[in-house]
Amino acid sequence: MKYSRLSPIVTQKNSKLVRIDSEKSSRSPLFGLDAAELAAVVVGAGEPAFRGRQLAQALYRQRVADLDAITTLSKPLRQRLAAEGWQVGRPGIAQVFQSVDGTERYLVGCGGADGLTVETVWMPEGDGGEAGDGSGIEAEGAEANVSGSRTRATICVSSQVGCAVNCQFCLTAKLGLQRNLSAGEIAGQVVSVLDRHSVEVGRERVNLVFMGMGEPFLNYANFMGAVRLLVNEVGLSPQRMTVSTSGIVSGIEQFALEPPEVRPKLAISLNAPNDKVRSQVMPINRKWPIETVMDAVRKVKLRPRERVTFEYVLLGGVTDSEEQAREVGRLVRRTGLAAKVNLIAWNPGPGIPYEMPEAGAVDRFRVALGAEGIPVYVRRPRGRDIFAACGQLKRTVEDRPGVTSTK
Ligand code: SF4
């Protein structure tokens, strides 16, 4: 039984579950424990193990956020759990910023004693980055009949508070790494947003992208713990999830060992046509250069029709020329991988010394790359006006003109 870093420490002692709070004064979250772990909790409270399944249903399917409201459990059991120091403890949305394009950016309170928040983004119509396995094209018409405008929604999820990777174009990098999120804190962002939008899991198509604050593969165990919760307990499909890494080779190699039933799709944040430029914009490239990353990616066994995504941020005058597009094409072809490229025009952020691509540059890049035979998509910038777009997540709390903020 494995517990994430911020979950309560639970040990088996004399066959009895003993809970030791990591923080004396705070209650311990049930949210973040899987069905087997919840069963151990209720057995420890003197109840049969099947109550753990009921508890999991309430937390992850019915999305109940208050222990006292879990009416499938008897009142005495709820009282006993509360008396033992348990609470639901799901991360909650503390503040909402609404963009004119329908995108919402949330400050999500992690619930820890440190009071830290992370950012999560809801894009009601995705961002144009095609699903990568062909499903985005064939499912579009069919699913529009089921649930209308919400069928292509995408939730962008954070995996760490801040980030240590230091990509030069990214606002989150300015925070440095403050701490890892637990599995419950990562999955809790998703469940809170699903709840806010009353999403019916299984009926409505929602994509998850682990592309928010942080580098998921530098918080690997908790990131994959969250994926398992979201797949096994919440009921989301791993084929609708994409994790993006800056190229953490040790993480990619671990990822290659995951069973396909719980493995999201893989995206590599490439952002440059060669090592020289990539090392300038992404210093992590000095540790793991492009070929080393590609060697690791080739170890990931793809599902039928699955493709690896290469994310490519276009920095004006730095990575956006047509010659660089052709070089990216040759690079991707050389990998021999089933792949596609998502282009993202760089989103400006205060204190970041880059320019947006000039008008027409993104399209010229797309055409030149496409001519190399590489499937290429342009991701529409979403929520730029509320600092919700790629690379803009920095727990920006100040209101700006035209931005609606609600609590
Ligand atoms: S782009 Fe991603 S990996 Fe790079 S610094 Fe920003 S959050 Fe970290």
Side-chain angles (χ1 to χ4, degrees), residues 162-167 169-173 212-215 246 269 282 391:
C163 187
V165 175
N166 199 24
C167 301
F169 51 83
C170 173
L171 206 49
T172 307
M213 297 168 80
E215 165 52 81
S246 56
S269 192
M282 299 179 72

Side-chain angles (χ1 to χ4, degrees), residues 144 342 370 393:
N342 274 354
L393 300 184

Side-chain angles (χ1 to χ4, degrees), residues 49-60:
F50 76 86
R51 298 268 177 229
R53 174 46 58 194
Q54 288 178 321
L55 191 46
Q57 288 274 339
L59 298 181
Y60 300 114

Side-chain angles (χ1 to χ4, degrees), residues 107-350:
L107 292 188
V108 178
C110 301
D114 54 17
L116 288 173
T117 56
V118 286
E119 303 213 336
T120 311
V121 180
W122 162 267
M123 292 168 277
E125 293 167 20
D127 61 5
E130 184 259 349
D133 55 3
S135 59
I137 297 163
E138 67 184 18
E140 194 169 357
E143 296 206 12
N145 296 332
V146 176
S147 52
S149 62
R150 279 215 295 261
T151 54
R152 288 184 62 83
T154 296
I155 302 173
C156 179
V157 186
S158 293
S159 55
Q160 297 179 304
V161 186
C163 187
V165 175
N166 199 24
C167 301
Q168 298 295 291
F169 51 83
C170 173
L171 206 49
T172 307
K174 299 267 179 203
L175 293 169
L177 177 64
Q178 302 195 11
R179 71 166 169 85
N180 283 334
L181 294 179
S182 68
E185 288 171 329
I186 298 170
Q189 296 167 59
V190 177
V191 172
S192 289
V193 175
L194 292 175
D195 198 38
R196 174 178 169 80
H197 292 277
S198 306
V199 172
E200 289 180 54
V201 172
R203 280 199 74 231
E204 296 176 66
R205 178 180 149 199
V206 174
N207 300 314
L208 300 187
V209 293
F210 296 93
M211 300 183 185
M213 297 168 80
E215 165 52 81
F217 284 3
L218 289 180
N219 183 22
Y220 190 86
N222 290 338
F223 155 67
M224 273 310 297
V227 168
R228 280 189 288 273
L229 283 174
L230 292 165
V231 172
N232 299 332
E233 311 300 344
V234 179
L236 296 171
S237 164
Q239 299 197 48
R240 296 255 178 249
M241 302 179 189
T242 303
V243 59
S244 176
T245 177
S246 56
I248 307 297
V249 164
S250 50
I252 299 170
E253 288 177 340
Q254 258 184 292
F255 188 74
L257 302 174
E258 299 290 346
E261 311 85 71
V262 289
R263 177 178 67 66
K265 292 179 292 186
L266 180 64
I268 303 294
S269 192
L270 181 63
N271 305 323
N274 56 50
D275 281 323
K276 186 163 177 251
V277 179
R278 194 167 191 266
S279 293
Q280 282 164 17
V281 297
M282 299 179 72
I284 192 82
N285 193 70
R286 292 177 204 140
K287 181 166 187 185
W288 286 303
I290 293 172
E291 278 313 313
T292 314
V293 172
M294 298 305 176
D295 286 346
V297 173
R298 276 189 286 267
K299 293 179 185 164
V300 178
K301 196 172 173 309
L302 300 180
R303 305 178 186 97
R305 295 163 68 226
E306 183 180 356
R307 287 184 282 183
V308 173
T309 301
F310 291 106
E311 304 283 344
Y312 192 99
V313 173
L314 292 146
L315 303 169
V318 180
T319 62
D320 65 344
S321 74
E322 287 171 82
E323 178 45 39
Q324 287 172 319
R326 287 187 280 274
E327 201 178 344
V328 170
R330 292 192 293 273
L331 167 65
V332 173
R333 271 210 313 272
R334 257 198 333 270
T335 67
L337 290 161
K340 69 180 180 107
V341 175
N342 274 354
L343 301 179
I344 309 134
W346 179 71
N347 295 302

